[in-house]
Amino acid sequence: MWSELTKAIAHINVPADWVGIRVVKETSSNRHVRDGLPQANGKYSTMGAMLEVLVNGCLGYAATNSLDLGSLQAAAEIAYKQALVASEWRVYDFRVTERPKVVGEYNSPFLEPLDSLCPGEINDLLVRICQTLKVSDKIVQATASITSSEKESWFVSSNGSEVYQKFLSFGNHYGAIAQDGAIVQQRTNNGSHANCYQGGMELLKRDTLWQQVRQVGEQAVELLTAEECPTIRTNLVLAPDQMMLQIHESVGHPLEIDRILGDERNYAGGSFVSKSDFGNLVYGSPLMNITFDPTVPGEFASYGFDDTGVVATREYLIKEGVLQRGLGSLESQARAGVAGVACARASSWNRPPIDRMANLNLEPGNATFAEIIAEIEHGVYMESNRSWSIDDRRYKFQFGCEYAKLIENGKLTKTLRNPNYRATTPEFWQSLTKVGNASNWQMYGTPFCGKGEPNQAIWVGHGSPVCLFANVEVFGGGS
Amino acid sequence: MKIDDLSALETSFNQLIETLIIKKKSSEEFTVKLSSERSQFTRFNHAKVRQTGHISDGWIELTLMENQRSSFRQFPFTGNWEIDWQTAYQYLQELREEIGLLPVDPYLVLPTGNNTSREVHSGKLLPIDEVVPAIVQVVTELDFTGIYAGGVVIKGYGDSQGQKHWFATDTFTLDYSLFTPSGQAVKGTFAGSNWDESAYIQKISQDKKQLELLAFSPKELPRGQYKTYFAPAAVADLSMMLSWGAVSEADLQQGNSALAILSRKDKVLSPKFNLKENFKLGLVPRFNAWGEMADPELPIIEKGILVNTLINSRTAKEYQKTANGANSSETLRAPEITPGNLEFAEILPQLDTGLYVSNLHYLNWSDRPNGRITGMTRYACFWVEKGEIIAPIENLRFDESLYRFWGDNLVDFTNFQEFIPEVGTYESRELGGGLVPGMLVEDFTYTL
């Protein structure tokens, strides 16, 4: 690929100030079984090139899945024509400094290749997971799926960038729906498709797999006879698999600088955070430390370079509760005059890079899970997201979980079903009272972070310990 | 896309099907799905261009079936026969190697019909270099943000039994918002196959009038239950929740449907509520993943009673039902809610005191088995007193069951409908949309 691309970048003939070509090749596999019967077996392959040009301070792009020199030249001409026309109405006078020269390589860590199990073996395993989930006749649906992906990207530019990255990713999901008359309850392994990581087939072979599968089935049935979550203001303890969603929606998205600049107001929304808040805003309690960190080995959205070639580094977004910097690419940083991170990312070759959150982690504190629970007289502990909604400024939210336990006098007691909670973002994070330590810090990921016009679903990773929030409104289900 | 390019793609697609038929073994069956587009995407912020580009994309999904087993491969479709056939043949061989390793699928659906169709809808879209000036010059003094997406979208299907479908359409959507300095906004969509400059100017002119209403200071409302008028765009958002674990027969059978209560007749909805699939507008293909054609119309809820679910051939086989041409995910493709009796001029007087909600945002089930939905108000939502708009509102979260707002609390639907176009672009530009009225509801529950 390198020889074709270096040849192409040398031959592209448009009078632009800068030209970049990013080629992405990805093959992903999806195998899905329901109630022991195959539902989907297949692979998705895509390959194409994104050409970007800078003309009179305006960036234009054209993407094509034909990679011959003629098609790339034709794409460059379309990109040039669009940028030239649009430059009269450009939103900002972009410079080549927003596309610096970078040379480098990144490879996901892995132990076992993704094809170390053949399709038949994977299906056998998924069938066995479904059988193990079905702990009772009350399980009316048992599902299991495995997804994997091998993705390569090459980036070259007219100012000498040459970046190669190869990502191996693996995800598994299983869950059960239990029903008893009108009562229906769902339980999965950590919420919908949350077990997504970079790495190989070794990620499946965890010692605790079968114990976890059985537990998911048992808890689905357990929820059928559980009490409804009470409607009350109380202490709320969130497991890392719910903290993932909490961080994503109420910290990640509002800190995206393109949202603050208004780019997303028509679709994903704006933000309650303004440019002047950086360096000043008390976002949460002093226990709140959030990093943007694409360097964590094996986390789902790790990378060496963003899709404009900027070197990825770990940065504090929020330190001891105070907002430090935003999730903004070099383009957004130039426009906003606010410090950002290497986060210009595109979902594939056929979308332009925009500000995305990559790995966003809540750094561990110093409490064990037992210590957190032990000091609570009354509260609710919730696991695994099942419902999420937040307003376009990322201020008022309501989230629901699959499974909860009542906390009484320092102990986990009754199981609760249909647990939900709602709050506003600043009030919630300022009520952060205890942060778990490294022993209960866990990381998850999702491939479904949606944003952008045209729309892009992208991979993100989130790590967090167990956290305690004081005086939160929780409530149950029902009509 | 030029006509020549379009016909070259069709020729290449047809050649692929014909060659696969020749290459297949007698024991094998296959289906081929095609999705292709040539789209311009221009994104605006503050009435200026944020990003502008063009995407030429396309893929084939080849599914091979043999001995009650199946697997698929999705791969790029460029229209270049040499490249596309080489790729297809490589994957055909890979599928042959894999398929024997897979478990038996008792509900596998083999292609059986003899359906064919060919629809080509030409449009008159703006040339690439005219999009930006045509849009921006009308809104230069406004805080205009959004996206123009336009070009040709192609959907194709072919199989080993000789079924073949081709659907190509030239369309555009301009999905935009106009903001006031305080952050309130009017939402608009302007869509079609022919760019009509005067209609666009008129639409923006109407939006400007709504912007004036947003100039008042927003009113912060306490949580509670309010009589609410939902404009058609908001009704469309609510109705699309029915595609997510509601109208699907598979979801109903597998304990995953919000309409299970309705199906069991434990509750009924208002007799004023009628929902159907209506393909008569011709904006989306009627064929599905097995080449089957849906009927032009399919009633789903009639007078508050669930009369049909969406059943595809796979679900039909598993649960001994009759298929009705549903797609593989059994989602609504051409939904229509029929109008009621509420006249436009009567909306505010009938609302009297309550909320006028133009749009909703980020809907999700908060308790799916009970049909409870949460979400936010968004864009041009107003507090109304004694039939008069008083002020825009601060956004409010709702959490309410469809069995209430489409049940006893439904006052009426409007006697007019609006077509709300699909503007999604996640995998590719989506087609179609929903035809829905506005609706007036008593005691809608707002929680935050």
Side-chain angles (χ1 to χ4, degrees), chain A residues 238-246 382 384-385 399-401 421:
Chain A
L238 294 181
D241 61 2
Q242 172 60 20
M243 284 300 298
M244 163 195 175
L245 188 277
Q246 186 69 53
M382 297 188 192
S384 311
N385 184 262
F399 300 142
C401 291
Y421 63 100

Side-chain angles (χ1 to χ4, degrees), chain A residues 38-244:
Chain A
Q39 303 298 305
N41 274 290
K43 288 184 178 176
Y44 304 85
S45 296
T46 186
M47 187 170 186
M50 166 64 76
L51 283 99
E52 280 190 290
V53 302
L54 181 63
V55 183
N56 295 345
C58 187
L59 285 157
Y61 65 85
T64 174
N65 63 1
S66 295
L67 296 179
D68 57 284
L69 267 180
S71 297
L72 296 178
Q73 172 64 28
E77 288 170 14
I78 293 173
Y80 175 79
K81 187 177 179 182
Q82 295 222 23
L84 185 64
V85 172
S87 62
E88 190 181 338
W89 291 278
R90 68 191 176 216
V91 77
Y92 183 78
D93 185 9
F94 292 112
R95 301 298 167 93
V96 180
T97 48
E98 276 95 57
R99 292 289 193 278
K101 175 187 172 179
V102 182
V103 175
E105 183 172 335
Y106 169 85
N107 290 280
S108 294
F110 73 98
L111 297 174
E112 292 185 33
L114 294 173
D115 59 1
S116 61
L117 287 181
C118 77
E121 291 170 315
I122 293 174
N123 275 269
D124 289 347
L125 187 76
L126 295 175
V127 169
R128 196 178 148 205
I129 290 174
C130 286
Q131 290 166 344
T132 308
L133 285 167
K134 200 164 170 53
V135 295
S136 150
D137 288 344
K138 290 191 164 58
I139 301 287
V140 293
Q141 186 192 98
T143 58
S145 61
I146 285 177
T147 55
S148 61
S149 164
E150 180 177 311
K151 179 176 178 177
E152 292 174 280
S153 74
W154 297 262
F155 175 67
V156 297
S157 67
S158 55
N159 58 337
S161 286
E162 288 189 7
V163 175
Y164 172 75
Q165 303 196 84
K166 183 172 182 178
F167 306 94
L168 284 189
S169 72
F170 179 86
N172 70 82
H173 174 79
Y174 49 85
I177 294 177
Q179 183 167 13
D180 186 2
I183 299 172
V184 181
Q185 288 292 308
Q186 168 195 302
R187 189 74 175 109
T188 64
N189 61 330
N190 306 113
S192 178
H193 299 276
N195 280 276
C196 293
Y197 304 97
Q198 283 186 23
M201 203 53 89
E202 72 278 1
L203 289 164
L204 185 65
K205 298 174 181 172
R206 290 178 168 164
D207 296 340
T208 53
L209 173 67
W210 296 107
Q211 181 194 330
Q212 286 176 346
V213 173
R214 209 168 299 110
Q215 182 175 290
V216 164
E218 287 167 355
Q219 289 186 344
V221 176
E222 180 190 351
L223 286 166
L224 293 175
T225 52
E227 284 183 19
E228 199 75 17
C229 181
T231 297
I232 191 171
R233 273 191 171 270
T234 191
N235 293 296
L236 174 65
V237 179
L238 294 181
D241 61 2
Q242 172 60 20
M243 284 300 298
M244 163 195 175

Side-chain angles (χ1 to χ4, degrees), chain A residues 411-432:
Chain A
K411 287 185 180 154
L412 296 173
T413 57
K414 295 171 186 166
T415 299
L416 303 172
R417 72 173 175 231
N418 300 324
N420 299 279
Y421 63 100
R422 57 170 82 101
T424 61
T425 298
E427 172 201 23
F428 186 76
W429 283 103
Q430 282 168 28
S431 75
L432 176 64

Side-chain angles (χ1 to χ4, degrees), chain A residues 279-302:
Chain A
N280 305 310
L281 179 69
V282 178
Y283 206 98
S285 83
L287 299 174
M288 184 185 188
N289 289 288
I290 300 252
T291 53
F292 168 88
D293 194 356
T295 71
V296 179
E299 196 163 357
F300 199 35
S302 290

Side-chain angles (χ1 to χ4, degrees), chain A residues 235-239 243 285-289 362-376 428-437 440 464-470:
Chain A
N235 293 296
L236 174 65
V237 179
L238 294 181
M243 284 300 298
S285 83
L287 299 174
M288 184 185 188
N289 289 288
L362 180 64
E363 297 299 315
N366 55 17
T368 65
F369 181 58
E371 285 166 353
I372 290 173
I373 300 297
E375 291 181 20
I376 298 171
F428 186 76
W429 283 103
Q430 282 168 28
S431 75
L432 176 64
T433 310
K434 269 199 181 345
V435 176
N437 63 18
N440 53 68
S464 175
V466 175
C467 289
L468 166 62
F469 298 87

Side-chain angles (χ1 to χ4, degrees), chain A residues 34 43 45 63 82 89 263-267 331 335 350-351 387-389 396 398 455 473 478, chain B residues 43 45 49-50 52 54-56 74 143 175 177 187 223 318 362 364-365 367 378 395 425-426:
Chain A
R34 176 178 57 78
K43 288 184 178 176
S45 296
Q82 295 222 23
W89 291 278
D263 292 351
E264 288 284 338
R265 286 176 299 164
N266 183 58
Y267 179 63
E331 284 175 38
R335 289 167 66 197
N350 55 12
R351 294 291 184 266
S387 176
W388 61 99
S389 176
K396 295 178 177 180
Q398 175 174 317
N455 306 153
E473 183 184 351
Chain B
R43 190 179 198 200
N45 185 10
V49 175
R50 171 63 188 97
T52 185
H54 187 272
I55 291 166
S56 176
Q74 196 180 94
D143 185 358
D175 178 26
S177 317
K187 176 81 173 173
R223 63 180 74 191
E318 182 167 0
Y362 221 145
N364 204 331
W365 298 112
D367 184 355
R378 190 184 188 189
N395 281 339
T425 47
Y426 272 107

Side-chain angles (χ1 to χ4, degrees), chain B residues 229 232 337 339-340 342-345 347 413-418 436-438:
Chain B
Y229 171 73
I337 296 176
L342 180 61
E343 293 180 16
F344 181 80
I347 292 170
F413 288 107
T414 57
N415 65 354
F416 60 91
Q417 296 165 300
E418 283 184 23
V436 291

